[in-house]
Structure formats: C-alpha cells, structure tokens
C-alpha cells in the first residue's frame, strides 16, 4: 500500500491523502504556509486573530451554523496557529467526509469577519492572553522566544500584545490575508478509508474554483544571536527557568541527530537524562523538558523546568553537567542503540494516531515537498554515529552560547 498520494489542483493547492482501510473516521486539514512570523510589528497577533475569526461567519454561514455543522454528526472542528503555519482541521465519521472539507474550505477562504464578532473575539483573546500571563510555565516559554530571537518576529508572542489586539479591524484581517495567501503554499490533507480518487473529487468540489494567487512575501532571517542572562521577579513561590539557544534549520543535515540528542536529554521518556538526574535522583523538579523546533531558516532549543528558589543554582548546575557529559564523552554502543530504539518506537507510536499523521503530512509537504516513510526515517536514525552526536553536542551544548531566562519570586 502506498504511504500517501499527492495531487495538485490547477490553482496550485496540493491534496495529500493516505488511505487507512480499517478506520471509520476521516481527518481533514487545510494548512496554510502563513504564521506569526509573517506579521509586521503592528500586526502582531493577527494570524492568531484570523484563526479565531474564521469560525465567526462566512458568506453563507453565521457562527452558530459553523459550530453546529459537524457537531450534530459527532464531529470535531478545530484550528491552530504557529510561527509559520495556520491550520484548520476536522474529524468525523467518514460517511460525512464531504461535510468536513466543505466547511473547512468555507471558513478558510470565505470568512467575512463581522465587526460585531471582531469585538467579541477581541475580548476572548485578551482573556486568553491574561490566562497565559497568569501561568508562569506558559509565560516563560513565550518570553524566552524573545530572548533567543530578540527583535525578530519569531521571538514575538503568537497571541500578540494587548495594544495590537485592541487595534485590529476587518481591514487588517483582509489586508494580511491578501498579502500572504498563496495557493501554491496551501496543502489539503486527509487520512480516511476513502479511495484516493474520491478524496480528490471531494477536495476539487470545493477548492477547484478558488482563484490561483501568489505572493511576493519574503521571510527575513533572524540577525546575529547574542546570548543573554535575564532574571525577572514575578509574583509566585516557585522559580521558573528557560535555557537554550538558536538551533539548526529545517533542512539542515544535522537536524535529525540533533533531535536525537535533545530527545535523550529531555524528551517525553521518563528515562531522559534530565528527568533521571533532576527529578529521580535529586528530587529538585516535578518535571523538566527539552524542546527543539526547526524553522525555515533557523531553529530553537529550549530547556524548561520549575524548582524551589533554594534549589535553583543546583538545578542549573546539573543541567550544565549533563550538557558537558555529552560534549566530553561519546555514547557507548549500548547507549547509542538504546537511543535509536527508543526514538524509533516513539515515532512509530505517533504514526498510530491518524489525526496526528494527517497534520504531519500537511506540514511535511509544505516544508519539504514530500512525506518520508517510517522506513526512510529509521534508516536515517540507524546511520547516525556516536562521533556525529558528540560533534553536534560540542557545537550546540556550549553553555557560553546559551541564554537563560529565570522568573524568581518577588522579595517581600
């Protein structure tokens, strides 16, 4: 069975599909290569505002009808915004598949942004921002982006600022879409039991007549990185820490081995080195994680944890010790084999989720023009050597090139 099939409509929109005969659910997504990094400074938060407003009315539907269209048949409709993507997606019984792609195409390309709804949603987003601000674990991740990417749009909060969100009107949304919409940078993705021809037919029914459009948009890359050490008093009892730096871009050949190292340090496994040391051995944290996010022209590495203020210095020393160990000592044959086996297992498990696979396909087609099979990825993982990993550790885990943002309790 083919891993996936790909079809391009005359307007440039690509349709990617994987048939899973045993499932009764269809997972549809429309992913646009537009994100918060494409905003001008006065537009900060506009991509996310668009994501919200897409549900608030189209040329033929009010918000009530959008909400109920799939819910009445037990389906789900959702969306998200990242630094480089906006995605509208839906899941429902495959027998109602046509309803999902019809609704997704309607909200993605025919929203009218009613002024009354803009005012309502402005309040909702301001509440969302306040909620994040009141959660130090979330707030520090957003603020650390700005430490790493400094004055670049990649460092700005996806939600925007209270000033920009209060300023948005219908014209702002329409001009942002006009400046960024490119049908050759849109992917429609589907995982279902439908045959490929039927999937294409359903997509064509609602997207074929969408006019072809391109944009001259150019994404600017971040400027020179300067490490920073910042400590900020906050009204809380625990200290929150973010450590990290810029990392490899999406197409860098070192991306996969670097991802393996980050997974070893602070991935989802309870046996990650950070978790085994800081939580299991010393009991200094409840949780600690390391994240690597590759972008078009750069990447982001972040390590995040919370701890008692009295344990702060010790916890940071232990993080740096783990980084130093990977720089100074290559992985043994057994350690390398275990690292590879664990990552392969995690990737195979993630592919079991059809919705996650649908979203991954869309992003992969947009970013690289193809979807690698598990076998291809496993072969890449298998080819990684201990000296390769050590070279990357020496390049990326130099503490002098890391930035640190710490929230500490306000002194009384």
């Amino acid at each position: 069975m083919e891993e996936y099939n790909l079809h391009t409509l005359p307007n440039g929109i690509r349709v990617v599909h994987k048939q899973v005969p045993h499932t009764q659910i269809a997972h549809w997504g429309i992913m646009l290569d537009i994100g918060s990094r494409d905003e001008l400074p006065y537009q900060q938060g506009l991509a996310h505002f668009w994501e919200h407003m897409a549900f608030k009315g189209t040329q033929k539907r009010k918000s009530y009808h959008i909400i109920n269209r799939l819910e009445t048949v037990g389906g789900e409709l959702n969306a998200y915004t990242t630094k480089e993507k906006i995605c509208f997606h839906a899941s429902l019984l495959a027998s109602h598949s046509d309803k999902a792609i019809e609704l997704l195409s309607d909200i993605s390309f025919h929203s009218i942004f009613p002024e009354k709804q803009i005012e309502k949603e402005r309040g909702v987003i301001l509440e969302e921002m306040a909620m994040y601000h009141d959660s130090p674990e979330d707030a520090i991740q957003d603020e650390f982006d700005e430490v790493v990417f400094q004055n670049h749009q990649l460092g700005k909060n996806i939600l925007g600022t209270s000033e920009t969100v209060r300023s948005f009107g219908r014209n702002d949304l329409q001009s942002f879409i006009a400046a960024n919409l490119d049908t050759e940078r849109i992917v429609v993705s589907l995982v279902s039991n439908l045959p490929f021809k039927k999937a294409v037919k359903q997509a064509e029914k609602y997207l074929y007549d969408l006019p072809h459009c391109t944009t001259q948009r150019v994404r600017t890359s971040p400027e020179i990185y300067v490490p920073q050490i910042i400590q900020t008093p906050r009204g809380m009892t625990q200290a929150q820490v973010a450590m990290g730096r810029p990392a490899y871009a999406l197409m860098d050949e070192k991306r996969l081995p670097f991802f393996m190292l980050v997974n070893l340090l602070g991935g989802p496994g309870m046996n990650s080195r950070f978790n085994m040391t800081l939580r299991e051995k010393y009991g200094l944290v409840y949780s600690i994680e390391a994240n690597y996010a590759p972008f078009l022209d750069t990447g982001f590495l972040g390590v995040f944890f919370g701890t008692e203020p009295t344990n702060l210095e010790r916890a940071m020393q232990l993080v740096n010790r783990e980084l130093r160990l990977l720089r100074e000592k290559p992985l043994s044959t057994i350690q390398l084999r275990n690292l590879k086996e664990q990552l392969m297992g995690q990737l195979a498990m993630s592919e079991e989720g059809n919705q996650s696979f649908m979203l991954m396909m869309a992003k992969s087609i947009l970013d690289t023009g193809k979807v690698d099979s598990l076998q291809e990825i496993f072969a890449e993982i298998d080819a990684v050597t201990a000296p390769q990993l050590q070279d990357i550790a020496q390049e990326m885990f130099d503490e002098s090139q890391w930035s640190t943002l710490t929230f500490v309790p306000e002194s009384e």
Side-chain angles (χ1 to χ4, degrees), residues 113-251:
F113 312 122
E115 292 288 358
K116 284 186 179 178
Q117 293 286 356
I118 287 176
E119 289 309 313
K120 285 182 188 175
E121 212 55 29
R122 194 191 315 282
V124 170
I125 292 172
L126 290 169
E127 286 297 321
E128 185 180 358
M129 292 167 67
M131 183 178 70
Y132 271 86
H133 183 77
D134 289 343
S135 170
E137 299 93 338
D138 294 322
I140 198 166
Q141 297 201 23
D142 286 329
E143 292 188 27
F144 190 58
D145 286 349
E146 191 145 15
V147 174
V148 172
F149 294 118
Q150 292 163 21
N151 296 317
H152 191 269
Q153 204 61 28
L154 279 172
K156 304 301 182 185
N157 192 322
I158 289 172
L159 300 181
T161 68
S162 57
E163 291 76 23
T164 56
V165 169
R166 286 191 172 95
S167 74
F168 296 148
R170 180 191 287 165
N171 288 342
D172 297 292
L173 289 158
Q174 291 171 335
S175 61
F176 179 71
I177 293 168
N180 288 283
L181 192 68
D182 185 335
T183 48
E184 294 180 13
R185 302 296 302 162
I186 296 170
V187 168
V188 176
S189 184
L190 171 65
V191 174
S192 75
N193 60 9
L194 298 180
F196 180 53
K197 284 185 179 178
K198 188 168 183 180
V200 170
K201 191 174 181 181
Q202 288 189 357
E204 284 184 333
K205 186 176 176 182
Y206 303 108
L207 295 164
Y208 192 90
D209 292 336
L210 196 72
H212 175 266
C213 59
T214 57
T215 176
Q216 300 304 310
R217 179 194 74 190
V218 176
R219 285 174 164 164
T220 59
S221 300
E223 296 177 4
I224 296 169
Y225 164 71
V226 179
Q228 299 184 77
I229 309 296
I230 300 171
Q231 192 169 94
T232 306
R234 295 287 287 260
M236 57 189 195
T237 57
Q238 193 184 43
Q240 290 289 331
V241 182
M243 307 169 70
R245 57 167 296 164
Y248 302 115
L250 195 63
M251 300 303 289

Side-chain angles (χ1 to χ4, degrees), residues 4 66 152 192 195 234 244 254 306 336 354-356 368 370 374:
Y4 68 96
I66 291 171
H152 191 269
S192 75
R234 295 287 287 260
K254 296 178 182 176
L336 181 60
N354 287 337
Q355 184 187 68
S356 298
T368 68
K370 62 189 178 76
L374 266 183

